[in-house]
Amino acid sequence: MKTIAVVTTVATAAQARAMARALVTRRLAACAQICAIESVYRWKDRVHEEPEHRIVFKTTSERYQALEAAIKELHSYELPAIHALALEQVHAPYAQWIEQNCTGDESR
């Protein structure tokens, strides 16, 4: 399995925590890391500068579609940023831990 990091941003720390907990609980990601950021972006013909929170989910490429669907389900943005980065070099035991924690019953 290919280990990947899936990234999205949300407006508040509370939203980030809720989404991270939900997707780890569903076993769509082994873990999630949250950090506060400042975003500058163009939306509807205006440039915006807003505080946001970035969430980085560690998962496998096999889980990407389900993880993306869950992010869209839980997201408050009209057009959420969702993208994945391949993790080319990963400590083997850590990659195994990610794989073990992204498989199985999503309802647990």
Side-chain angles (χ1 to χ4, degrees), residues 2-9 28 55-68 71 80-88:
K2 185 78 169 161
T3 305
I4 63 173
V6 178
V7 181
T8 193
T9 55
L28 296 174
I55 313 167
V56 179
F57 297 98
K58 306 292 180 47
T59 191
T60 63
S61 56
E62 289 80 2
R63 299 301 264 172
Y64 177 80
Q65 293 301 323
L67 180 65
E68 180 186 275
I71 290 171
I82 306 169
H83 55 276
L85 306 166
L87 301 177
E88 296 298 327

Side-chain angles (χ1 to χ4, degrees), residues 37-43 46-52:
I37 61 171
E38 185 76 21
S39 294
V40 178
Y41 57 94
R42 180 176 296 281
W43 182 248
R46 288 187 40 227
V47 175
H48 300 262
E49 294 182 37
E50 305 285 342
E52 289 188 299

Side-chain angles (χ1 to χ4, degrees), residues 84-102:
L85 306 166
L87 301 177
E88 296 298 327
Q89 301 292 320
V90 182
H91 179 55
Y94 184 70
Q96 288 174 326
W97 174 80
I98 290 172
E99 184 176 333
Q100 290 167 352
N101 284 281
C102 291

